[in-house]
Amino acid sequence: MNVCKLTGDYFYYKDPIGYGSFSIIYKGYNISEPTKSLAIKRITKIIDMKYFHNEVDLMKKLDHPNILKLYDVVKTNGNIYLILEYCNCGDLSNYIQKDTNNSHDFKYFNQIFKGLEYLYRNRILHRDIKPHNILIKDGIIKISDFGFAKSFEKNELITTFCGSPLYMAPEIIKDKEYNLKSDIWSLGVIIFELFTKKHPYYVESKQMLWSKIKNGIVINYSEIKNEQIIELLQKMLVDDPKERSTWEVIFTTLHNIETFDNKTSLYDCSDDMMFQMDELNNSSIMARSEIIPRKSQLNDMSFSVNPVSYTHLRAHETRGN
């Protein structure tokens, strides 16, 4: 396998481990720690420098075991490279799709909340929380992809339409309004999926999603056996953000939940499973996780909507859908 020198002490293997719409990812290392794998992400195109620099600036400041670590940014020969933590176990969607796998449900549940509580305490909204952006490294959750993240002030409304339709809070789709509670809905959907291996209100098109949101989303919790988890989700998955619980209430409820599965065994995964991070896709205004080997294309309802260019879902309302 050919090894190329990037700059300074960084080296990478010539054969890519992943492709994004606007990036190529290589497995690499620092010569000072040759046995420690790194993900070296070469940016091939930047749609909007504001969003790119926003992600980089945020990630540089973050330091938590459940947040993907950005080690360095290298600019050389007109290219930009992000030196990132290498995640060898894929993302949470891989785990969820293994229907019979529930041995790490509570462990991942706890780690996701710890990472998000850290972001909240640092006044950061993620704005694109979904299983594809929750990576796993040796059984440890790593929340990634902060391209849509924004520091917030109390009660701030954000009108940028962003996120992934199947994980968007109803107020974003209906009113293009994003506030402190919008991520709570997205997280609730993920937690429901984690414990049932099913989406709580799966639909196959934006039109169907819009119709369901207009009529009010009804969620069946019967497949969740833990009453404390149901109680938590019922505080999170509330259509009206004014009635939805606050982060403080959610975290207080969480701390009272008895997580009876505290196993620390590592998730059984292959080092060949590639590091994943979402990329903006200009042709379809969506982003998808990078996966090697390639899988069949996922339903675009779980992709991220590009805030730079989009068609708002409310257009369907004027067509009578």
Side-chain angles (χ1 to χ4, degrees):
M1 184 179 292
N2 293 330
V3 177
C4 304
K5 182 173 182 178
L6 177 57
T7 186
D9 294 331
Y10 293 116
F11 291 78
Y12 65 92
Y13 298 103
K14 188 175 181 180
D15 294 332
I17 59 172
Y19 297 88
S21 301
F22 306 122
S23 72
I24 302 175
I25 298 183
Y26 304 90
K27 188 175 180 180
Y29 59 91
N30 188 310
I31 194 65
S32 64
E33 296 181 278
T35 61
K36 178 182 178 180
S37 296
L38 299 171
I40 298 180
K41 179 177 181 180
R42 178 165 70 87
I43 307 301
T44 57
K45 182 179 180 180
I46 298 175
I47 292 178
D48 190 315
M49 289 298 294
K50 179 181 72 172
Y51 285 101
F52 174 77
H53 287 301
N54 183 41
E55 178 171 5
V56 169
D57 290 343
L58 280 174
M59 290 188 70
K60 283 181 177 178
K61 299 174 184 177
L62 303 178
D63 186 15
H64 188 273
N66 299 125
I67 303 294
L68 187 73
K69 186 67 178 175
L70 171 66
Y71 296 115
D72 203 354
V73 179
V74 174
K75 298 180 181 180
T76 181
N77 299 323
N79 292 312
I80 300 176
Y81 297 83
L82 303 184
I83 313 300
L84 296 155
E85 195 169 6
Y86 178 83
C87 293
N88 60 329
C89 298
D91 61 33
L92 193 66
S93 67
N94 301 136
Y95 176 80
I96 289 173
Q97 287 167 14
K98 296 179 179 180
D99 292 339
T100 59
N101 187 357
N102 59 9
S103 59
H104 299 274
D105 291 356
F106 271 96
K107 181 174 76 169
Y108 291 163
F109 167 79
N110 283 325
Q111 292 180 12
I112 290 168
F113 268 98
K114 286 178 181 177
L116 289 173
E117 185 169 12
Y118 170 81
L119 292 179
Y120 178 79
R121 301 301 179 196
N122 283 276
R123 307 189 69 76
I124 294 172
L125 297 171
H126 189 284
R127 296 207 292 166
D128 195 18
I129 299 174
K130 61 181 179 179
H132 306 84
N133 288 340
I134 300 174
L135 309 182
I136 304 172
K137 177 184 179 182
D138 296 328
I140 305 299
I141 290 294
K142 303 286 180 177
I143 298 172
S144 73
D145 201 341
F146 296 87
F148 295 149
K150 179 184 172 93
S151 297
F152 65 84
E153 297 299 331
K154 189 175 181 180
N155 297 324
E156 179 180 12
L157 288 178
I158 305 167
T159 57
T160 300
F161 183 80
C162 66
S164 306
L166 275 178
Y167 299 92
M168 282 181 182
E171 64 269 18
I172 303 176
I173 296 174
K174 289 192 297 185
D175 304 316
K176 253 180 67 174
E177 290 187 347
Y178 194 108
N179 58 38
L180 294 183
K181 296 183 179 180
S182 298
D183 274 359
I184 293 175
W185 176 279
S186 303
L187 180 58
V189 174
I190 292 172
I191 298 306
F192 186 99
E193 282 189 312
L194 180 63
F195 285 100
T196 67
K197 307 303 183 276
K198 297 178 181 179
H199 191 279
Y201 51 93
Y202 180 78
V203 292
E204 295 183 349
S205 70
K206 295 187 182 77
Q207 293 92 332
M208 293 173 64
L209 177 61
W210 175 245
S211 176
K212 182 163 287 193
I213 287 175
K214 282 198 302 181
N215 295 325
I217 294 175
V218 178
I219 297 174
N220 181 358
Y221 296 98
S222 62
E223 292 191 44
I224 299 177
K225 306 307 178 185
N226 185 294
E227 292 297 328
Q228 292 177 306
I229 297 298
I230 293 176
E231 177 187 347
L232 178 67
L233 290 176
Q234 288 174 335
K235 296 177 186 292
M236 303 175 75
L237 295 174
V238 178
D239 286 27
D240 185 349
K242 294 178 182 178
E243 301 298 324
R244 198 177 303 149
S245 291
T246 65
W247 280 108
E248 293 295 344
V249 170
I250 296 301
F251 290 135
T252 299
T253 303
L254 172 71
H255 295 157
N256 292 330
I257 291 179
E258 298 178 6
T259 52
F260 51 81
D261 185 355
N262 291 316
K263 297 176 182 177
T264 57
S265 59
L266 297 183
Y267 181 48
D268 183 15
C269 62
S270 167
D271 193 59
D272 293 333
M273 293 181 67
M274 70 85 45
F275 169 90
Q276 301 176 27
M277 176 173 266
D278 277 3
E279 298 297 332
L280 294 177
N281 184 328
N282 192 39
S283 61
S284 63
I285 70 165
M286 298 293 181
R288 68 177 182 177
S289 293
E290 301 156 359
I291 299 175
I292 295 294
R294 291 287 185 186
K295 293 184 178 180
S296 58
Q297 185 162 319
L298 300 173
N299 186 300
D300 72 356
M301 293 299 291
S302 65
F303 297 169
S304 303
V305 174
N306 183 346
V308 180
S309 171
Y310 65 86
T311 301
H312 193 264
L313 293 183
R314 291 195 68 179
H316 296 299
E317 183 179 33
T318 63
R319 302 188 187 111
N321 291 334

